[in-house]
């Protein structure tokens, strides 16, 4: 968990914010779910990044003994204004044909219950068709999802030097991705040159709104769902700065995540065909949780890249349920059915499992 300390100063760097490639909408959350672990950080929240309240009001879904549901439906068309005469009835648009993927995702997310303090952003890409959708906006702490970025930067560095990862680096990489080991992440963070090394690699990867955390605080790297989707394309796509060998290596590690961390975007998969990395962090300044999940899922033989980021969650479990519901809604939006499957139960931590 994050330790308390005086508010840290920010590195002075020009802003690289730009309009997201995806439409931005609103903030939501969902109750339920459990998980284990936390993320290595040692600083207070960035100035101005406290809890975010949404002005929208949604009714909470009841939480059952296992997990909440995230049933979603398309919005009904608005009625005609008072006094307006109509000759024929207004037809409902055909879901999946007349509605954009962003609209379908927004409609699905309206049915997801939320905490007033929570904020979420999700982006999805169908690797086969190129169809995409996004919901929410703004920057988020990465927590441990930055470990994918750290390893991608390390692999790019080795490629440039014409070398392979050393036995030491491979050992650290395995522990960092599969078990989310923080000591290993800190070691590789230093190897890539910290935030400067991460930012340099991300410029080549095409990320434009991600900024490495100060000093050793890799868990406080700032990012967006759109940038995380771009990074996932570097790992799982063919048009990449990473070599085929580097991509295969990183994909393999993301497909062997420890059993107690197999939650998040994997909830949208139709079986065991997924590869992911999760991040979770309780902020010392507010007690609220950042919970993120990124990766690739397979549904009906098709591959989807999904990045679900959230903050302001009252508990870790509610954050997990939120990103799972968001991932399901996102995949449903690009498949064209316009409905979100119920959120599955979050992984129950094994007895005696410790926080990161």
């Amino acid at each position: 968990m994050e330790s308390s300390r005086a508010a840290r100063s920010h590195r002075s760097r020009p802003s690289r914010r730009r309009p997201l490639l995806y439409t931005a909408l609103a903030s939501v959350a969902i109750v339920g779910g459990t998980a284990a672990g936390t993320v290595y950080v040692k600083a207070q929240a960035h100035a101005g990044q406290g809890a975010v309240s949404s002005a929208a009001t949604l009714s909470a879904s009841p939480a059952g003994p296992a997990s909440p549901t995230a049933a979603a439906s398309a919005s009904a068309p608005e009625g005609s204004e008072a006094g307006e005469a109509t000759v024929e009835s207004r037809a409902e648009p055909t879901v999946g044909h007349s509605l954009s993927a962003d609209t379908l995702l927004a409609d699905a997310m309206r049915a997801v219950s939320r905490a007033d303090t929570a904020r979420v952003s999700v982006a999805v890409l169908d690797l086969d068709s190129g169809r995409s959708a996004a919901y929410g906006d703004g920057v988020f702490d990465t927590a441990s999802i930055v470990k994918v970025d750290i390893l991608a930067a390390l692999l790019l560095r080795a490629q440039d030097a014409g070398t392979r990862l050393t036995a030491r680096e491979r050992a650290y990489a395995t522990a960092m991705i599969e078990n989310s080991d923080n000591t290993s992440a800190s070691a590789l963070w230093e190897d890539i040159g910290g935030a400067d090394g991460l930012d340099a690699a991300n410029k080549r990867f095409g990320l434009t709104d991600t900024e490495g955390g100060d000093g050793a605080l890799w868990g406080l790297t700032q990012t967006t769902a759109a940038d995380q989707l771009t990074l996932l394309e570097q790992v799982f796509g063919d048009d990449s700065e990473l070599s085929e060998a580097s991509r295969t290596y990183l994909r393999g590690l993301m497909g062997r995540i420890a059993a107690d961390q197999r939650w998040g975007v994997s909830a949208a998969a139709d079986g065991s065909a997924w590869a992911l990395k999760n991040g979770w962090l309780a902020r010392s300044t507010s007690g609220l949780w950042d919970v993120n999940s990124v990766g690739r899922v397979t549904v009906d033989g098709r591959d989807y890249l999904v990045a679900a980021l959230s903050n302001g969650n009252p508990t870790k479990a509610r954050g997990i349920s939120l990103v799972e519901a968001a991932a399901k809604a996102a995949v449903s939006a690009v498949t064209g059915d316009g409905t979100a499957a119920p959120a599955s139960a979050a992984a129950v931590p094994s007895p005696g499992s410790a926080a990161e």
Side-chain angles (χ1 to χ4, degrees):
M1 293 179 64
E2 178 192 14
S3 60
S4 60
R5 58 181 280 185
R8 66 189 179 93
S9 61
H10 298 285
R11 287 180 292 118
S12 177
R13 287 192 277 183
S15 173
R16 295 175 294 160
R17 297 295 306 281
R18 56 147 174 84
L20 298 180
L21 297 176
Y22 307 97
T23 55
L25 296 170
S27 305
V28 295
I30 186 170
V31 297
T34 59
T38 184
V39 175
Y40 174 85
V41 291
K42 293 182 177 178
Q44 293 184 356
H46 287 275
Q49 289 196 332
V52 178
S53 297
S54 170
T57 301
L58 297 175
S59 58
S61 300
S67 66
T69 60
S73 61
S75 297
E78 296 179 2
S80 50
E81 296 181 5
E84 179 185 3
T86 57
V87 177
E88 57 186 18
S89 62
R90 299 171 64 183
E92 289 272 358
T94 303
V95 173
H97 296 280
S98 299
L99 298 181
S100 71
D102 286 336
T103 300
L104 290 172
L105 178 53
D107 288 343
M109 292 296 287
R110 287 192 184 102
V112 177
S113 63
R114 53 133 180 110
D116 290 340
T117 54
R119 189 166 63 99
V120 65
S121 182
V122 61
V124 61
L125 172 68
D126 181 338
L127 279 175
D128 296 319
S129 70
R131 184 172 168 85
S132 64
Y135 178 94
D137 64 355
V139 296
F140 294 77
D141 298 324
T142 57
S144 277
I145 61 169
V146 75
K147 292 170 181 175
V148 173
D149 206 358
I150 292 172
L151 182 51
L154 183 70
L155 289 166
L156 186 62
R157 178 173 171 267
Q159 286 177 202
D160 290 344
T163 61
R164 297 182 178 182
L165 298 189
T166 66
R168 165 190 169 275
E169 288 170 335
R170 292 177 71 88
Y172 279 145
T174 298
M176 178 178 71
I177 301 297
E178 293 185 8
N179 301 302
S180 204
D181 181 70
N182 295 322
T183 300
S184 298
S186 295
L188 296 183
W189 177 255
E190 291 183 6
D191 286 355
I192 66 170
D196 290 338
L198 188 79
D199 293 347
N202 283 341
K203 183 176 181 180
R204 292 172 61 182
F205 292 148
L207 280 64
T208 57
D209 293 297
T210 298
E211 183 174 348
D214 288 347
L217 303 175
W218 45 261
L220 293 184
T221 294
Q222 299 288 284
T223 195
T224 64
D227 262 12
Q228 287 302 301
L229 201 62
T230 298
L231 179 62
L232 289 173
E233 288 185 78
Q234 289 289 309
V235 177
F236 294 97
D238 294 326
D239 184 11
S240 174
E241 291 290 317
L242 297 173
S243 67
E244 182 177 356
S246 292
R247 298 196 307 272
T248 299
Y249 174 64
L250 186 43
R251 293 170 186 171
L253 295 179
M254 293 176 70
R256 296 192 294 270
I257 297 298
D260 64 344
Q261 296 174 32
R262 294 177 183 178
W263 48 264
V265 297
S266 57
D270 59 8
S272 60
W274 51 260
L276 62 81
K277 184 69 192 79
N278 297 322
W280 57 108
L281 162 66
R283 301 313 305 264
S284 63
T285 51
S286 64
L288 300 175
W289 285 80
D290 298 333
V291 179
N292 306 319
S293 185
V294 298
R296 186 218 68 222
V297 299
T298 303
V299 181
D300 295 330
R302 298 175 72 92
D303 290 331
Y304 302 87
L305 303 182
V306 187
L309 312 180
S310 74
N311 61 22
N313 298 289
T315 65
K316 176 176 55 182
R318 293 180 71 172
I320 290 171
S321 292
L322 172 57
V323 296
E324 290 191 342
K328 287 188 172 189
V331 171
S332 76
V334 294
T335 59
D337 61 20
T339 60
S344 62
V348 178
S350 58
S353 60
E356 276 190 286

